[in-house]
Amino acid sequence: MGYRVEVFDKDMKRVGEIDEWISLDFTVRLRQEGAWQLLIKDGTPQSQLIQKGGGVAIWQDGVAKPLLSGQVDTFQKYWTKLQHTGPGSIYISGKCHNSLAYRRLSFPDPSKAVGSQYQARMPNRIVIGTHVSEAIWRELRTALGPGALTDRRVPGVNFGAEPPAVGKFVVDTVRFDSVGSKLEEWCERRDAAYRLIYNPSTQMVDLEIFTPRDKSKEVRFSPELGNLREYIWTLNAPKVTRAIVGAAGERTERYYYQKVDTASEDEWGISAESFIDRRDIPLKVDRSTGEVVKAQADMTADDFTMAKQAVQEAASGALSEGEKSGNFQIYPIDTPDCSFGKHYFVGDKVTVAVDGAEYVDVVREVVVSVDDGGNAQDVSPKIGQQGAGDPLNLYKTVYDMQRKLRRLESRM
């Protein structure tokens, strides 16, 4: 699969194409900032094409729109005695055009300058949209588009005459939040996505708001199809099966509450205790009956009920944090029948089938490395929360894989 890089200047005008590089790496992310990095020999005409304020659009053969576009934000000279000799090499890199959303804040009153925000009608501005696309469109227009203050406008961005009807209803409040982070939140639970991408015909950046596609029946990854390089699943035993919460009572009057995850103890044969100190919860024990009572005489019945509920929630939280977990990592590869950009894109739902079990989730990120001939060396999609700092607990999915694998092995 071939790739090429077109270059535009700070006025978004096309100035040329780079087809000779040492390496090209880029990452396309769903609803977030992507990134690109080009390593090219310094001192060549092509190395001079990208200037401050300008940027690139990265194309894939056979695909009608760029996979990613964005401005340059870093130039780094690289010279070594052994490899990058002579004039040396230069790393040129930047973020994708989605970064425009992350460079703006949601003002309480977008019609007023920073020094006049105290005049805003309300400290927190309410955002409402029948469709989330309306909220995205309005927020970007008032933060960097024609609805923004003159000095906040970013030239060359096309918002369209009106937003498409995409996604579910949204209502939220904003106050100097990162616009990009807010758009992530709004889209995540409302079946919507957006991207800002260079349009070579108009030589502007288009705002595209769309509904992610369900390609789970068409795009499948499995060892049998030859488009999985590697997969790893892991089951972890629980770290906590017995949560003990200590409330506010003193010494022998202190109230202790325990919650036990008996199902995990039975499954793994492990019993692990954890103590949670919650002296802020006003409960104590009646030594004559052993029952929990109010720690403060002026507590109402509702206060007492809420305090008991708080103890139970603290125990449940500790068990949830230390519960048994499952992690699933896959490493697909591009094939002629299943390639990124041509057959699927970020936001699409795809299917992973391994060990007799199927898992359907969203492609959230794709990392592409391209060699000096313009051919992809490595295409690495991340499906679901794979690689995230706080991955989903896929215990049931991974447990089913283990169970079905054992059944398959027993029949062999």
Side-chain angles (χ1 to χ4, degrees):
M1 194 66 63
Y3 294 82
R4 59 190 174 88
V5 177
E6 289 190 345
V7 180
F8 53 83
D9 63 17
K10 64 180 180 180
D11 297 317
M12 304 296 243
K13 305 304 181 186
R14 186 185 186 279
V15 295
E17 182 173 315
I18 295 177
D19 57 12
E20 294 180 2
W21 59 71
I22 298 169
S23 65
L24 168 65
D25 300 282
F26 63 96
T27 302
V28 183
R29 295 189 175 97
L30 177 64
R31 311 180 186 115
Q32 294 180 328
E33 291 179 293
W36 58 273
Q37 177 176 272
L38 188 67
L39 178 62
I40 189 168
K41 196 160 190 66
D42 199 8
T44 63
Q46 292 195 1
S47 70
Q48 306 301 316
L49 282 176
I50 304 177
Q51 299 294 324
K52 294 175 182 176
V56 302
I58 301 173
W59 295 79
Q60 181 187 42
D61 293 346
V63 179
K65 294 182 179 181
L67 298 183
L68 176 144
S69 65
Q71 283 181 292
V72 62
D73 61 23
T74 302
F75 294 92
Q76 183 183 55
K77 181 65 178 280
Y78 191 69
W79 183 91
T80 67
K81 188 176 181 179
L82 299 177
Q83 284 184 305
H84 301 267
T85 56
S89 303
I90 185 168
Y91 279 109
I92 308 173
S93 62
K95 304 288 194 308
C96 80
H97 274 123
N98 283 5
S99 63
L100 296 176
Y102 290 85
R103 295 173 187 170
R104 286 290 182 265
L105 300 176
S106 294
F107 283 9
D109 186 342
S111 69
K112 292 181 170 58
V114 174
S116 299
Q117 287 300 310
Y118 71 93
Q119 297 175 353
R121 191 169 61 87
M122 298 174 61
N124 298 310
R125 175 162 52 89
I126 300 174
V127 175
I128 299 175
T130 304
H131 300 280
V132 68
S133 53
E134 297 173 26
I136 295 170
W137 187 78
R138 287 199 304 265
E139 200 64 27
L140 286 171
R141 277 176 57 91
T142 56
L144 56 89
L149 295 173
T150 304
D151 69 331
R152 300 185 75 210
R153 293 176 189 172
V154 176
V157 181
N158 174 33
F159 295 89
E162 59 183 28
V166 172
K168 302 173 184 174
F169 174 81
V170 61
V171 58
D172 198 2
T173 58
V174 295
R175 180 176 173 80
F176 295 111
D177 300 276
S178 160
V179 173
S181 297
K182 271 297 176 185
L183 301 192
E184 282 185 55
E185 292 178 25
W186 296 347
C187 289
E188 182 65 35
R189 298 183 299 277
R190 295 178 178 88
D191 199 25
Y194 81 96
R195 71 170 183 162
L196 290 157
I197 191 73
Y198 183 70
N199 183 331
S201 299
T202 62
Q203 298 191 94
M204 297 179 71
V205 173
D206 289 343
L207 169 62
E208 296 183 352
I209 306 174
F210 57 95
T211 301
R213 302 171 299 180
D214 187 348
K215 307 272 287 186
S216 57
K217 296 287 192 296
E218 307 156 52
V219 179
R220 298 170 62 86
F221 296 97
S222 73
E224 291 74 22
L225 292 172
N227 56 13
L228 267 186
R229 182 179 72 242
E230 180 182 352
Y231 70 87
I232 305 168
W233 56 251
T234 308
L235 287 174
N236 297 305
K239 296 180 176 63
V240 177
T241 63
R242 302 187 177 204
I244 302 168
V245 182
E250 294 296 329
R251 298 185 181 180
T252 56
E253 288 188 332
R254 191 170 190 189
Y255 172 62
Y256 298 98
Y257 172 83
Q258 175 176 261
K259 186 172 183 179
V260 181
D261 182 354
T262 54
S264 292
E265 289 191 348
D266 290 343
E267 179 184 350
W268 284 89
I270 290 174
S271 174
E273 297 173 339
S274 177
F275 182 73
I276 303 95
D277 190 347
R278 289 298 306 271
R279 294 178 185 273
D280 59 307
I281 301 176
L283 296 175
K284 65 179 182 179
V285 69
D286 183 338
R287 294 190 63 199
S288 63
T289 63
E291 297 296 322
V292 59
V293 295
K294 304 173 184 177
Q296 300 167 0
D298 60 351
M299 288 178 68
T300 66
D302 286 344
D303 291 339
F304 185 46
T305 299
M306 290 175 63
K308 289 189 289 184
Q309 184 178 344
V311 166
Q312 294 167 10
E313 289 176 351
S316 297
L319 289 177
S320 178
E321 189 175 334
E323 69 182 339
K324 58 193 178 184
S325 62
N327 180 256
F328 182 42
Q329 295 174 284
I330 69 165
Y331 301 90
I333 54 176
D334 262 15
T335 65
D337 297 323
C338 187
S339 62
F340 171 64
K342 185 170 287 189
H343 300 101
Y344 69 94
F345 199 67
V346 291
D348 293 346
K349 282 186 178 178
V350 298
T351 297
V352 181
V354 298
D355 292 341
E358 293 190 347
Y359 174 61
V360 176
D361 212 328
V362 172
V363 179
R364 295 185 177 272
E365 174 180 314
V366 179
V367 181
V368 181
S369 295
V370 184
D371 65 19
D372 56 3
N375 300 308
Q377 284 185 309
D378 187 48
V379 179
S380 302
K382 291 185 178 179
I383 298 172
Q385 295 297 319
Q386 172 187 346
D390 186 21
L392 292 176
N393 188 347
L394 300 178
Y395 189 86
K396 184 180 184 306
T397 299
V398 178
Y399 178 80
D400 287 344
M401 290 178 184
Q402 183 193 45
R403 180 168 52 84
K404 290 178 180 180
L405 178 62
R406 285 177 174 173
R407 286 180 180 175
L408 179 64
E409 289 173 340
S410 67
R411 294 196 296 268
M412 293 176 64

